[in-house]
């Protein structure tokens, strides 16, 4: 079972995660089918910016984060923004959408000028997240755990970050055991997705370069 | 890397609470 304190932490994180999301009117724009390459580029850039702003607002709610060294806060966010973005996007592609929406979104991404070698791993990742049928709680916790990775470049106070990350990992571990009693490997699988995210993150800078050139 | 300059800027602004900018 979750202790009272852990339950409170979980509720708090989930509420913050649900509250801080991309503005709906921007998300709606994505579904308008009329777009040329330039509009597409601008919209995806705007979305990415909004993603980061929302991520920062969510992160400010993580207990203890604001007490970390200010430059460490930036290093953590900078190191995790891309991974958190992929995690959030994965939700869009795995949630049941009204008919045709997923196809429009996928088409928009495929026509964005990003080369196929980067697109394929991205959709493979979305698929592997979809297979886990993650709950909102798992998404919120996994995002918080990703942000609180002590081994990001330029983080000085690694132990302070670890002290914030560990309770999140423990809540996620227990939550998985409660929700998936017949799947003892579920927690390990979730953590495995973090490794996949690292790979996507690693290729992201390369992807940006190729996109800009295109 | 240059590709990260924009990102850091957005993060710093958002951390300071200047979301409107």
């Amino acid at each position: 079972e979750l202790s009272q304190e852990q339950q409170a932490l979980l509720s708090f994180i989930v509420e913050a995660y649900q509250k801080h999301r991309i503005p709906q009117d921007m998300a709606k724009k994505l579904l308008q089918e009329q777009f040329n390459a330039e509009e597409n580029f601008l919209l995806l850039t705007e979305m990415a910016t909004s993603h980061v702003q929302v991520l920062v607002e969510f992160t400010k709610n993580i207990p203890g984060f604001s007490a970390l060294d200010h430059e460490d806060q930036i290093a953590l966010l900078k190191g995790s923004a891309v991974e958190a973005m992929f995690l959030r996007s994965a939700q869009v592609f795995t949630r049941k959408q009204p008919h045709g929406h997923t196809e429009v979104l996928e088409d928009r991404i495929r026509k964005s000028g990003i080369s196929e070698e980067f697109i394929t791993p991205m959709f493979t990742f979305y698929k592997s997240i979809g297979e886990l049928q993650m709950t909102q709680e798992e998404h919120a916790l996994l995002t918080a755990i990703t942000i609180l990775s002590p081994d990001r470049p330029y983080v000085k106070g690694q132990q302070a970050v670890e002290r914030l990350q560990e309770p999140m990992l423990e809540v996620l571990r227990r939550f998985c055991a409660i929700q998936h009693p017949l799947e003892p490997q579920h927690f390990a699988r979730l953590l495995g997705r973090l490794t996949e995210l690292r790979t996507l993150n690693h290729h992201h800078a390369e992807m940006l370069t190729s996109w800009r050139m295109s | 890397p240059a590709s990260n300059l924009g990102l850091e800027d957005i993060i710093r602004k958002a951390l300071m609470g200047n979301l409107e900018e």
Side-chain angles (χ1 to χ4, degrees), chain A residues 39-61:
Chain A
E39 283 165 351
N40 205 16
F41 177 85
L42 287 174
L43 182 60
L44 288 172
T45 310
E46 198 187 339
M47 289 280 296
T49 306
S50 179
H51 246 303
V52 176
Q53 289 170 334
V54 164
L55 178 72
V56 173
E57 291 309 306
F58 166 68
T59 308
K60 281 182 188 172
N61 282 277

Side-chain angles (χ1 to χ4, degrees), chain A residues 53 56 60 71 74 78, chain B residues 7-8 11-12 14-15 19:
Chain A
Q53 289 170 334
V56 173
K60 281 182 188 172
E71 289 306 309
I74 290 158
K78 213 174 150 183
Chain B
L7 176 62
E8 186 168 330
I11 290 170
R12 283 186 188 276
L15 268 178
L19 260 179

